[in-house]
Amino acid sequence: MKVPRIFSLLGFASLFALFLSDSVQAENTVTLYTQRHYEFDEKLHEEFTEKTGIKVEVVKATADELIARLEQEGENSPADLFMTADAGGLDRASKAGLLAAMPASLLESVPDRLHDPESLWTAITQRARVLAYSKDRVKASDLSTYEDLADAKWKGRLSIRSSSNIYNQSLMTTIIEANDAETAEAWAKAVRGNMARPPQGSDRDQIRAVAAGLADVALVNTYYVGLLENSSEKKDRDAASAVSIFFPNQDGRGAHVNISGVGLLKSSKNREAAAKLIEFLLSPETQAQYPNATYEYPVVDGVAWSEIQERWGKFKADEVPLKVLGERNAEAVRLFNKAGWE
Amino acid sequence: MNTVAPSSLGSVEDSASTGKRIYRLNRPHPDRWGVLVGGVALLISLPLLAILVYLTQEGPEWSHLVETVLPTYVSNTLILVTGVSLVAILFSVLPAYLVSYYEFPGRRLFQWALILPLALPTYVAAFVFFEGPEAAIPFLIWIRSEFGVDAFLAWEKVIRYGLLILMMGAVLSPYLFVACRATFQQQTRSAIEAARCLGMNSRGIFFRIALPLARPAMVGGLALIVMEVINDYGAVHFFGVPTLTEGIFRTWFGMGDRVSALRLAGMVMVAIALLLILERQLRGKARFEASTTSSGLCRLIPLSRGKGALAILICLVPLVIGFIYPVARLSQWAALDLMSDRPAVLAASAGLIRGLVLALGVSVGASLVAAVFFYAVRLRGNGWRLGGARLAGLGYATPGAVIALGVLAVLGAWDRWAGDSFLPLLSGTLFAIGFAYFVRFFAIPLQFSRSGLSRIGRPIEEAARLSGKGPAATFGRIHLPLLRGPLIAAGMLLFVDILKELPLTLILRPANFETLATSAYSLAKEARLQACAVPSLLIVIAGGIGLMIMNRWMSSDSSHD
Amino acid sequence: MTEPFPEIPSRLAFRQVSRKFQSRELPAVDGVSLDVPDGEVFALLGESGSGKTTLLRLAAGLETPDAGSVWLDGTCVAGDAREGKDLPPEKRRIGLVFQDGALFPHLNAEKNVAFGLSSWSREDRERRVKECLELVELAGFEKRFPHELSGGEGQRLSLARALAPEPQLLLLDEPFSHLDPALRRKLREELNHILERVEQTVLLVTHDPEDALAMASQVAILVQGKIRQVGVPSEVYRNPVDRYCGERFGPINEVPKPGSGATCWRRPEDATWQAVPEGGSDTMEGTVCHVVSVRPMGREFEVRVRREGAASDWLLSLAEAPAMEERGVVRWCDRE
């Protein structure tokens, strides 16, 4: 009997498989594993390619999924850079030993607090987690701190998303850091009790809930208000105009500010190109684009804010070391679990 | 599709032909087939084994989990599973029965259109239906002002859970519809005719004959639905109803306890298996496989005007909720996006072709491998078959993200070993993701091959063997052509499933690789609903075409009987 | 439209009934008129595709006639007179035994039999189930499920289920076709015995002439949807209207009627053979033939003889074997 048909079929199948295993990497590319999922980022990458001739290959997933993938891929990973929308992810990646130090010269323009002391990662944008309150039903003088949200006067008036969201988890780490675990748990429990409805949806949906009159105060990242205000849908713009922004804890430690950041991977085979991309992202020209495109705050000093950010005004930011956000993340989730905040 | 996963999970169905003792004609190359079966089985089981290692271990957060959130996850999962199952039964069994036995306007249309909701991923349906709770806000505020906070909270929960259950029930009901339709049209006809002759009215026939006889098919369809509900992570997240799957992700990624997360995943799998075994026990001695007299003569009972209208309504409700409304809304958004100055569809379209090719390639490949695999298994006897089927079912019952990590572990090991040799590195390639699809969905083509092969009688096979063809030639010349219908149907269902697949794709995809599902999801995450509508709609269209082809081959297959 | 058939005394009657399926070119049933008298066992005999099963399903109400009418006990149940509102099967009081039994696989024997008795009182139902199971000699099998019964037991249970509601007409659709010959014969006898006791009107559909001859009081032969011949078993056996009908029941010989150009039909066993001695007289009564082949068939010999000058051979069934090439005369005895 000659080669039976099934084996030729299997042969074809493996050929197909080989065709798909296009692991060959072009020299002039940089591979980026990122948690950020903004159209604007794609535009930046195109701009970068135009400028330098280096192509940017992107894999998008959540930070922890990407970390798991990097760990499994090991030193054979095609990735050069790891980018997150939160400081915790960067800290966990560096704890997992995935990151390599980048040339310190790159980070000269970044304030010390916003990059890793060993240059394992750096922030590229900042985002503040603030209160969006109803212009009609709440006076700014009623608001003060995150801790104050536990007060009984907010019973049935708060709207906050699920605790599985990383922004809430990061905020929680700073509550723990500034107080202690017990206080933080009691705080979470009380805040959950004050919520108008069980946590659901995104930060946008919390703002909409306030605009619709379901709740009076929402806990959101600043840029969501910017996005709604500049949305193509009238419904969104109306929602944004119904709320004002309040930066909490201005008399104390300051408002919680998280970062979006990037780290160089140990597995990187293309460090030069990777460094160029970081340099590009931190350049004053690029930094100046963020405030107007994604409504995030720049990390480099001397870059102008967007009009809407100016309107929100200057604020005092919590200067807790960013690695706390990563270190205390598990504890934060545990406390949320105990407090019954879904 | 009617019997895809359940039996492969629980145990192997003793249909008339599989119940027979397998006897073997002389096997000149026994090892070749054994190696083939073993090889495929090993390939599939490796990623699962890489995960199952953790089942017996206790992670650091396990007791914390049990004390705090696990009860909520379990109760939410149970509520969803029960509710969605009930809705799906309501939305599928009666319509399947009506289109099988009664004549009313639109019957032919409903016969295939009721499959269409399957083309809609639950996470897409979720963001369409999430407008519901938003629209209900004024009503809820009124409730709060009139009746107080308790009433408000109760109503809020009812609306949110209710909409989620209704939406998922409608979108997932085709699994049950197809299973029931096949049973009603092929197996229960003579029993129903006998019952009519014995003076039973139509209501009695439905409840006393049709329903009990459709039970195995219903269990099959329901098992698929239950697994889909448990595996879902987009829709439940949107609606703020954390289930066990969310628990798995939260434990793993939020608390960094991989062991506890995997243990949770393992327990979910075990629970599903137990459920199926329990059903089997409860069934007792009674059998449900009615004889299949498909005389080809079938008379549909005409319905009066009023009853016809009612029948139309019964069929229309699931179709509207599960397909027409969401698709209409998506089309509206998509149109807005296409008219805008920077349509998102253009930005996303570049990588899409590769995604489609991959989905099609894996579908075709897995279907063929499944046919060969099951044929080889059949040559080897019963024990193998049981093991093989169980193994494949395991992949289907495992959350996509868990499989993705298993695949990463296996391919990572390969890469370390292949390291500096000429062998290709596999992590982060299309091969990795194709392989993961294969592991996750192999149960589908396997099940189709199994039922297809069991219909090809032993005599045909023996006649081929006696005329001098070896097993391989017999397969190529006899079985493969005869299996064309089931394999095409399986391939198409696989294609639709891969098209919709999300968590696994997100984790494993190579750089710059977008599927329709991932671009729909990331746009939905940015809450760019209009832009998101375009890829979502494309999934629905491609999936709808796939389902149509599947349906055609499934029905043409049954008419050959 | 005036009542076209003012009086129909038979239990079941078809009048000009036709039924055509879209998938086939010829009608399955083509203008059939037929009467099944009260208390009789009526057999419909035909090849597969002859329309016999369709006719039975028309009687049961599982099919609707395209034209003509179906009458049960003097009432029109389907057809023109009912203006499209046929009496549904569940209202016809008909028992039907399916080819494969069509037992409800999820119900045990007892519940299968009780299925059609839901409107009966509890005691009556229990009594009737017991009675019927005893009638078909399945007492003691009450709790068995269909798949735990043998083929013959299954068919008997199916019969019990059909008989339980005391139907005005019993339809049997190839009830033995799934059984082996020995079991078939046995079940046929049992069924005969049972039907005699209950005095049931029966329409039996079969492709097996033995079933028809052994059970029926009247037989109709159906060819391509049309009735070719109706008669009592001996009539259709002895006097077929044509070769096709004759051959339904085994080999048959066409014999010229002496003195006329007409022919008649004779069965092999109707012949006697007498050898003509060597050089013997040609004056012996009968037709002179010579033996072409002899085939032992157990009890008898099947002998093929050739007539001088005739186109076709005759087939005789003889108790003693003649010698090959032997010359002799065939005489046909008239058994009518």
Side-chain angles (χ1 to χ4, degrees):
Chain A
M1 197 168 59
K2 309 290 165 293
V3 183
R5 191 177 294 196
I6 53 156
F7 290 103
S8 18
L9 281 174
L10 288 178
F12 278 121
S14 33
L15 273 180
F16 177 75
L18 276 177
F19 153 74
L20 289 178
S21 62
D22 51 353
S23 62
V24 192
Q25 286 284 325
E27 271 302 297
N28 223 12
T29 59
V30 52
T31 303
L32 173 68
Y33 281 17
T34 177
Q35 187 187 5
R36 288 172 61 93
H37 40 70
Y38 308 116
E39 197 187 355
F40 173 67
D41 284 31
E42 285 159 29
K43 228 185 88 200
L44 278 183
H45 298 154
E46 284 166 25
E47 214 172 283
F48 174 69
T49 307
E50 227 166 82
K51 228 174 188 168
T52 61
I54 300 169
K55 276 210 323 218
V56 184
E57 301 270 337
V58 176
V59 176
K60 286 183 265 183
T62 68
D64 294 288
E65 283 164 355
L66 291 172
I67 290 175
R69 176 166 169 170
L70 286 164
E71 278 181 321
Q72 300 291 3
E73 288 174 347
E75 62 181 64
N76 292 311
S77 173
D80 298 301
L81 292 172
F82 174 60
M83 189 182 277
T84 67
D86 148 81
L90 290 169
D91 182 69
R92 282 198 292 288
S94 71
K95 289 268 156 50
L98 294 168
L99 300 181
M102 47 186 121
S105 58
L106 280 177
L107 307 180
E108 275 163 7
S109 59
V110 182
D112 283 351
R113 202 187 77 84
L114 294 179
H115 67 79
D116 180 70
E118 282 143 50
S119 306
L120 290 176
W121 50 260
T122 174
I124 50 171
T125 63
Q126 308 187 72
R127 48 267 299 274
R129 195 148 183 82
V130 299
L131 303 176
Y133 62 95
S134 162
K135 283 177 179 167
D136 302 338
R137 296 182 300 279
V138 179
K139 287 197 292 280
S141 56
D142 297 339
L143 299 161
S144 56
T145 60
Y146 298 110
E147 282 77 0
D148 176 60
L149 295 177
D151 193 284
K153 73 177 174 213
W154 297 115
K155 179 107 191 131
R157 299 173 70 187
L158 304 182
S159 184
I160 311 178
R161 73 195 291 186
S162 157
S163 69
S164 40
N165 176 253
I166 188 71
Y167 305 142
N168 281 345
Q169 292 172 7
S170 290
L171 173 65
M172 185 67 163
T173 61
T174 66
I175 304 261
I176 303 169
E177 185 74 12
N179 305 279
D180 56 70
E182 236 170 274
T183 317
E185 186 187 332
W187 173 80
K189 202 169 193 163
V191 170
R192 174 65 188 87
N194 283 344
M195 283 186 204
R197 61 171 182 186
Q200 59 193 279
S202 66
D203 276 5
R204 259 172 243 259
D205 295 306
Q206 317 310 320
I207 298 170
R208 287 189 187 125
V210 171
L214 185 80
D216 296 340
V217 178
L219 182 62
V220 297
N221 282 359
T222 38
Y223 57 89
Y224 281 108
V225 182
L227 287 170
L228 282 180
E229 201 172 304
N230 291 282
S231 165
S232 57
E233 288 204 42
K234 185 173 179 302
K235 202 173 69 173
D236 290 345
R237 292 195 298 273
D238 290 347
S241 64
V243 299
S244 289
I245 293 287
F246 181 84
F247 293 93
N249 297 63
Q250 292 303 299
D251 299 334
R253 64 180 189 270
H256 169 59
V257 173
N258 204 336
I259 58 156
S260 182
V262 65
L264 180 66
L265 287 162
K266 268 189 188 155
S267 61
S268 170
K269 322 263 182 310
N270 227 343
R271 296 200 178 190
E272 237 172 86
K276 273 192 187 147
L277 182 56
I278 297 173
E279 189 185 352
F280 171 77
L281 293 175
L282 291 175
S283 69
E285 298 78 46
T286 309
Q287 285 286 309
Q289 292 190 51
Y290 281 112
N292 292 300
T294 62
Y295 311 104
E296 293 169 290
Y297 293 101
V299 295
V300 175
D301 286 333
V303 172
W305 285 6
S306 61
E307 176 267 326
I308 188 172
Q309 286 167 333
E310 292 289 355
R311 190 152 26 96
W312 292 333
K314 299 274 177 227
F315 63 96
K316 181 181 177 191
D318 184 0
E319 303 227 320
V320 64
L322 285 169
K323 68 173 203 291
V324 167
L325 274 52
E327 281 166 355
R328 288 202 183 273
N329 194 76
E331 193 183 358
V333 175
R334 257 200 308 275
L335 293 180
F336 274 133
N337 284 349
K338 278 197 202 160
W341 180 337
E342 301 90 332
Chain B
M1 161 182 177
N2 44 332
T3 45
V4 179
S7 46
S8 52
L9 246 192
S11 65
V12 168
E13 207 83 41
D14 280 15
S15 74
S17 53
T18 53
K20 268 185 225 154
R21 178 96 193 102
I22 303 291
Y23 53 95
R24 297 150 203 176
L25 296 163
N26 58 331
R27 288 189 273 126
H29 308 293
D31 290 330
R32 208 168 54 181
W33 295 97
V35 165
L36 193 139
V37 171
V40 174
L42 192 72
L43 213 61
I44 291 183
S45 53
L46 268 180
L48 297 170
L49 289 176
I51 295 291
L52 282 177
V53 172
Y54 295 96
L55 239 185
T56 52
Q57 304 175 19
E58 182 152 330
E61 305 289 354
W62 185 255
S63 58
H64 164 78
L65 211 62
V66 173
E67 280 161 26
T68 57
V69 282
L70 201 58
T72 318
Y73 296 157
V74 170
S75 74
N76 270 339
T77 306
L78 288 179
I79 290 171
L80 271 194
V81 162
T82 317
V84 172
S85 300
L86 287 177
V87 170
I89 288 172
L90 202 68
F91 279 177
S92 60
V93 179
L94 200 51
Y97 185 71
L98 288 173
V99 300
S100 301
Y101 290 107
Y102 293 92
E103 184 61 80
F104 56 93
R107 182 190 73 87
R108 281 166 166 280
L109 178 82
F110 287 126
Q111 207 170 3
W112 58 263
L114 280 165
I115 305 179
L116 287 176
L118 211 55
L120 202 73
T122 45
Y123 51 89
V124 169
F127 79 67
V128 174
F129 276 88
F130 197 62
E131 290 186 315
E134 210 188 306
I137 285 181
F139 167 75
L140 287 171
I141 292 175
W142 175 77
I143 289 276
R144 188 169 60 184
S145 62
E146 294 289 313
F147 303 100
V149 171
D150 286 340
F152 161 81
L153 285 175
W155 274 100
E156 194 276 335
K157 196 166 180 179
V158 165
I159 289 173
R160 195 159 39 98
Y161 278 63
L163 259 176
L164 178 62
I165 286 171
L166 196 71
M167 178 275 284
M168 286 185 104
V171 169
L172 297 176
S173 67
Y175 284 117
L176 206 48
F177 174 78
V178 172
C180 290
R181 192 187 61 178
T183 312
F184 288 144
Q185 293 188 347
Q186 287 165 26
Q187 301 203 334
T188 58
R189 190 168 293 282
S190 69
I192 282 171
E193 285 179 347
R196 292 196 82 194
C197 290
L198 289 166
M200 184 60 59
N201 61 21
S202 13
R203 221 175 83 190
I205 288 176
F206 180 71
F207 285 108
R208 291 186 54 190
I209 302 294
L211 267 193
L213 286 184
R215 202 168 112 185
M218 278 171 63
V219 170
L222 272 180
L224 286 173
I225 291 175
V226 166
M227 283 185 247
E228 291 279 342
V229 171
I230 291 178
N231 280 347
D232 181 86
Y233 99 150
V236 293
H237 189 78
F238 238 103
F239 277 76
V241 181
T243 61
L244 283 166
T245 305
E246 178 137 347
I248 294 171
F249 287 104
R250 193 180 166 106
T251 309
W252 191 326
F253 297 135
M255 302 197 284
D257 184 358
R258 169 183 303 205
V259 177
S260 297
L262 290 173
R263 194 171 188 211
L264 208 55
M267 286 170 72
V268 172
M269 286 195 274
V270 171
I272 293 175
L274 281 179
L275 214 65
L276 289 167
I277 291 168
L278 185 73
E279 197 280 336
R280 198 156 273 275
Q281 294 298 316
L282 285 177
R283 217 192 286 178
K285 276 198 300 180
R287 275 208 192 167
F288 295 87
E289 291 94 21
S291 56
T292 53
T293 2
S294 41
S295 52
L297 314 169
C298 54
R299 190 174 79 89
L300 298 166
I301 303 164
L303 287 176
S304 67
R305 253 188 136 80
K307 283 182 181 170
L310 191 66
I312 293 174
L313 191 72
I314 289 171
C315 294
L316 209 54
V317 168
L319 194 61
V320 167
I321 299 177
F323 191 75
I324 295 174
Y325 171 73
V327 169
R329 200 85 183 88
L330 285 175
S331 310
Q332 217 178 335
W333 287 335
L336 283 173
D337 177 68
L338 292 174
M339 284 186 298
S340 71
D341 25 311
R342 200 183 160 171
V345 65
L346 296 178
S349 62
L352 297 182
I353 302 295
R354 266 208 303 177
L356 282 178
V357 169
L358 178 71
L360 264 179
V362 172
S363 305
V364 172
S367 300
L368 288 175
V369 172
V372 178
F373 177 78
F374 200 75
Y375 178 72
V377 159
R378 207 160 81 145
L379 286 173
R380 307 290 299 186
N382 265 324
W384 288 72
R385 177 166 43 199
L386 224 97
R390 288 224 170 109
L391 201 72
L394 212 57
Y396 204 83
T398 313
V402 174
I403 288 193
L405 292 160
V407 167
L408 278 176
V410 171
L411 295 187
W414 162 274
D415 283 356
R416 274 187 286 284
W417 176 74
D420 302 315
S421 71
F422 64 94
L423 291 165
L425 303 180
L426 297 176
S427 299
T429 61
L430 283 178
F431 174 81
I433 198 169
F435 175 49
Y437 287 146
F438 184 78
V439 173
R440 169 94 169 81
F441 293 121
F442 191 60
I444 293 174
L446 192 64
Q447 195 62 32
F448 274 80
S449 310
R450 199 172 78 182
S451 66
L453 274 172
S454 73
R455 264 184 239 156
I456 299 173
R458 285 268 146 193
I460 294 181
E461 188 172 338
E462 285 157 8
R465 296 293 294 279
L466 290 171
S467 40
K469 299 278 180 286
T474 303
F475 178 78
R477 306 260 306 256
I478 306 292
H479 293 87
L480 213 50
L482 286 174
L483 279 174
R484 198 171 59 156
L487 285 184
I488 291 177
M492 284 300 119
L493 184 61
L494 206 59
F495 174 69
V496 175
D497 262 329
I498 293 177
L499 217 57
K500 295 192 294 179
E501 214 294 328
L502 189 62
L504 186 155
T505 315
L506 280 176
I507 298 178
L508 286 178
R509 64 196 166 140
N512 278 354
F513 178 80
E514 287 280 351
T515 66
L516 288 168
T518 57
S519 51
Y521 182 71
S522 58
L523 289 166
K525 232 173 148 178
E526 286 179 67
R528 292 167 58 194
L529 294 192
Q530 295 179 3
C532 165
V534 177
S536 302
L537 212 54
L538 287 174
I539 297 179
V540 175
I541 291 167
I545 292 170
L547 288 172
M548 290 296 89
I549 298 175
M550 177 195 87
N551 190 48
R552 210 179 79 85
W553 282 99
M554 269 173 81
S555 41
S556 73
D557 176 50
S558 63
S559 69
H560 290 191
D561 273 1
Chain C
M1 192 170 163
T2 53
E3 189 64 48
F5 312 108
E7 209 170 299
I8 294 182
S10 33
R11 178 54 56 94
L12 169 69
F14 297 98
R15 289 290 178 269
Q16 298 297 327
V17 171
S18 293
R19 176 81 174 105
K20 188 181 173 315
F21 295 109
Q22 285 184 337
S23 52
R24 303 220 194 109
E25 209 166 299
L26 291 171
V29 172
D30 192 359
V32 167
S33 294
L34 204 63
D35 282 275
V36 178
D38 226 348
E40 285 200 34
V41 176
F42 193 104
L44 274 175
L45 187 66
E47 297 175 79
S48 66
S50 62
K52 55 189 193 307
T53 297
T54 308
L55 211 49
L56 174 134
R57 290 169 63 86
L58 283 163
L62 299 170
E63 289 290 342
T64 335
D66 297 332
S69 52
V70 182
W71 299 72
L72 268 176
D73 209 13
T75 319
C76 182
V77 293
D80 312 331
R82 294 191 63 92
E83 291 166 343
K85 294 210 166 173
D86 296 355
L87 195 66
E90 57 268 30
K91 299 264 169 65
R92 292 193 183 189
R93 289 189 47 231
I94 280 182
L96 174 50
V97 175
F98 287 79
Q99 215 173 95
D100 59 358
L103 291 164
F104 303 130
H106 61 305
L107 302 177
N108 63 23
E110 197 175 53
K111 286 185 175 151
N112 259 288
V113 176
F115 191 87
L117 306 177
S118 40
S119 60
W120 294 35
S121 76
R122 198 188 160 83
E123 299 93 74
D124 285 352
R125 187 162 62 228
E126 275 166 11
R127 181 187 47 74
R128 182 64 181 158
V129 169
K130 193 160 171 284
E131 209 172 86
C132 287
L133 284 175
E134 274 166 10
L135 184 70
V136 299
E137 290 173 13
L138 284 177
F141 287 65
E142 286 82 358
K143 301 297 176 201
R144 300 266 192 106
F145 279 95
H147 66 273
E148 298 173 306
L149 297 174
S150 71
E153 287 162 356
Q155 279 311 61
R156 294 209 309 258
L157 180 59
S158 185
L159 179 67
R161 185 181 71 180
L163 287 174
E166 297 173 342
Q168 56 171 330
L169 173 66
L170 181 66
L171 305 173
L172 303 176
D173 184 10
E174 305 259 14
F176 315 116
S177 68
H178 284 218
L179 307 175
D180 65 68
L183 194 56
R184 214 181 158 96
R185 185 180 297 272
K186 184 164 168 290
L187 191 63
R188 196 156 60 205
E189 264 170 41
E190 285 171 2
L191 194 57
N192 256 337
H193 185 63
I194 293 165
L195 293 178
E196 270 164 33
R197 273 199 283 167
V198 294
E199 294 179 0
Q200 180 74 53
T201 312
V202 176
L203 179 65
L204 166 72
V205 157
T206 180
H207 67 272
D208 183 344
E210 276 188 51
D211 288 349
L213 296 180
M215 294 182 65
S217 45
Q218 276 208 70
V219 178
I221 298 170
L222 209 56
V223 184
Q224 289 178 348
K226 292 190 172 118
I227 302 277
R228 189 65 73 81
Q229 185 175 12
V230 187
V232 296
S234 61
E235 172 74 12
V236 294
Y237 184 74
R238 292 286 162 211
N239 288 324
V241 293
D242 55 19
R243 177 172 287 277
Y244 178 87
C245 289
E247 283 182 342
R248 291 302 90 201
F249 303 96
I252 197 155
N253 302 300
E254 191 171 16
V255 178
K257 272 194 180 151
S260 70
T263 56
C264 60
W265 301 93
R266 289 293 179 263
R267 295 283 168 191
E269 65 268 23
D270 297 340
T272 56
W273 174 257
Q274 193 180 4
V276 178
E278 198 65 37
S281 84
D282 284 348
T283 58
M284 288 172 78
E285 196 191 336
T287 314
V288 180
C289 307
H290 68 274
V291 175
V292 183
S293 70
V294 178
R295 199 180 298 265
M297 299 287 284
R299 198 151 42 93
E300 282 161 340
F301 293 88
E302 191 184 273
V303 179
R304 184 174 290 274
V305 298
R306 185 158 295 162
R307 287 169 287 164
E308 272 107 41
S312 60
D313 296 342
W314 280 344
L315 209 60
L316 315 180
S317 176
L318 301 176
E320 286 168 27
M324 282 295 284
E325 297 296 329
E326 185 181 78
R327 261 167 59 85
V329 291
V330 173
R331 272 193 291 273
W332 296 101
C333 49
D334 198 356
R335 296 206 186 186
E336 276 166 56

